[in-house]
Amino acid sequence: MSASPKVAPKPCINKRNFKSATQTQPPDAVYKAMNPTTLESDNEYDSINEYDYVNVGSPSSPDKLVASAVPLNTAIHTLQDQVATLEHSLAKVSTQTFTLQSNLHQLRAQLEVVCSEVKQLKQQVQEQRDEDGSRSSMATNMQEETPVREQNKGYLSSLDHIQVLQLLDKMGLKQYKEKFQEESINGEILVECNSELLRQELKVTSQIHRLRLLKIINGEHSAQKILQGSITTLV
């Protein structure tokens, strides 16, 4: 009986003779694509199909990839947390800025009101000063004029009715002499007369003439100067 020729065993793709496209050792992650056969040793060629193991083309271990991805994920999460923190801080700053702008607007409005009030107070103070100055000036003038008026009235009251008639002549009021003479108006009576008495009792119908006589009666003009001819025209 002749011996049958030996058949060369099929080459086994294992960790020793498998080389990837990059000519590197196969990775630890080699997956069974066809049969769930477990490689017991490198010498069990007959029990292993040439398609039992397929290289996935990854030069690194998946565990190593996962391990290397952990720090990257951590860094990404850290950056995301930092971005969220910055956004929160920005929103807070925006709110504070809006609040400050609103407060500034209110302060400006209050400042305008205060400035307006200060302006009004200054105007009132100036008006009060002007009024006080006017009153003081009037009081001074009255103090200065009072002795003169009293002196003029004193001289007028000392005139007799003849001198009063002469006074009318000097003042250009001759038309009233007859009534003054009829009533025997002397200086004492004349200083007591007012506009109504001059019009009704002494028939001084002209308001301008009454005004001229009242200036003499009130002491604003001097009867003495008129009689002496020092004053020729009376307003």
Side-chain angles (χ1 to χ4, degrees), residues 149-167 184-192 216-217 222-225 227-228:
R149 289 188 177 187
E150 292 297 327
Q151 184 178 358
N152 291 337
K153 290 174 71 174
Y155 178 82
L156 180 63
S157 63
S158 67
L159 299 179
D160 57 25
H161 70 283
I162 300 297
Q163 290 173 316
V164 170
L165 295 177
Q166 292 175 353
L167 180 63
S184 300
I185 302 298
N186 58 18
E188 283 185 321
I189 298 174
L190 185 59
V191 295
E192 299 296 331
I216 298 295
I217 293 170
S222 173
Q224 184 178 9
K225 291 180 179 181
L227 289 172
Q228 291 174 354

Side-chain angles (χ1 to χ4, degrees), residues 28-40 47-49 51-56:
D28 294 335
V30 179
Y31 299 93
K32 294 181 179 181
M34 303 297 295
N35 300 314
T37 308
T38 303
L39 181 62
E40 297 293 339
S47 62
I48 300 175
N49 189 281
Y51 300 104
D52 282 349
Y53 294 93
V54 176
N55 183 15
V56 296

Side-chain angles (χ1 to χ4, degrees), residues 123-151:
Q123 186 176 358
Q124 291 176 0
V125 169
Q126 186 62 38
E127 290 176 355
Q128 187 66 36
R129 286 178 178 175
D130 294 341
E131 185 177 354
D132 292 342
S134 177
R135 288 178 179 176
S136 177
S137 178
M138 289 177 62
T140 302
N141 292 335
M142 288 180 64
Q143 290 176 356
E144 293 176 354
E145 292 177 0
T146 298
V148 176
R149 289 188 177 187
E150 292 297 327
Q151 184 178 358

Side-chain angles (χ1 to χ4, degrees), residues 6-222:
K6 279 188 177 184
V7 180
K10 295 179 181 180
C12 179
I13 301 174
N14 55 26
K15 291 183 179 181
R16 291 185 179 182
N17 60 11
F18 179 83
K19 291 188 178 181
S20 65
T22 58
Q23 297 300 319
T24 58
Q25 291 292 331
D28 294 335
V30 179
Y31 299 93
K32 294 181 179 181
M34 303 297 295
N35 300 314
T37 308
T38 303
L39 181 62
E40 297 293 339
S41 66
D42 292 338
N43 295 324
E44 295 179 356
Y45 300 108
D46 295 334
S47 62
I48 300 175
N49 189 281
E50 60 180 332
Y51 300 104
D52 282 349
Y53 294 93
V54 176
N55 183 15
V56 296
S58 176
S60 303
S61 170
D63 294 337
K64 291 182 180 180
L65 287 175
V66 172
S68 63
V70 171
L72 183 59
N73 291 334
T74 303
I76 291 174
H77 288 310
T78 302
L79 289 175
Q80 289 176 345
D81 292 340
Q82 291 177 354
V83 170
T85 303
L86 289 174
E87 289 178 349
H88 179 71
S89 300
L90 181 60
K92 199 173 187 181
V93 169
S94 298
T95 303
Q96 292 176 351
T97 302
F98 178 79
T99 302
L100 289 174
Q101 289 177 346
S102 177
N103 293 337
L104 180 61
H105 180 71
Q106 293 179 358
L107 288 174
R108 285 178 178 173
Q110 293 176 358
L111 181 60
E112 290 179 358
V113 173
V114 171
C115 290
S116 178
E117 292 178 351
V118 169
K119 185 177 180 181
Q120 291 179 357
L121 287 174
K122 286 182 177 180
Q123 186 176 358
Q124 291 176 0
V125 169
Q126 186 62 38
E127 290 176 355
Q128 187 66 36
R129 286 178 178 175
D130 294 341
E131 185 177 354
D132 292 342
S134 177
R135 288 178 179 176
S136 177
S137 178
M138 289 177 62
T140 302
N141 292 335
M142 288 180 64
Q143 290 176 356
E144 293 176 354
E145 292 177 0
T146 298
V148 176
R149 289 188 177 187
E150 292 297 327
Q151 184 178 358
N152 291 337
K153 290 174 71 174
Y155 178 82
L156 180 63
S157 63
S158 67
L159 299 179
D160 57 25
H161 70 283
I162 300 297
Q163 290 173 316
V164 170
L165 295 177
Q166 292 175 353
L167 180 63
L168 292 175
D169 282 334
K170 293 286 186 180
M171 293 177 64
L173 303 176
K174 295 179 180 180
Q175 64 270 34
Y176 305 114
K177 286 175 64 176
E178 183 179 354
K179 190 63 178 177
F180 271 67
Q181 186 175 4
E182 181 183 340
E183 299 291 342
S184 300
I185 302 298
N186 58 18
E188 283 185 321
I189 298 174
L190 185 59
V191 295
E192 299 296 331
C193 290
N194 54 28
S195 179
E196 191 67 19
L197 284 175
L198 290 173
R199 185 176 67 84
Q200 292 184 358
E201 301 296 332
L202 298 176
K203 306 305 178 182
V204 182
T205 57
S206 172
Q207 187 174 357
I208 298 299
H209 293 168
R210 289 199 304 271
L211 179 61
R212 292 171 65 184
L213 285 171
L214 287 173
K215 286 183 177 294
I216 298 295
I217 293 170
N218 294 329
E220 296 181 33
H221 291 162
S222 173

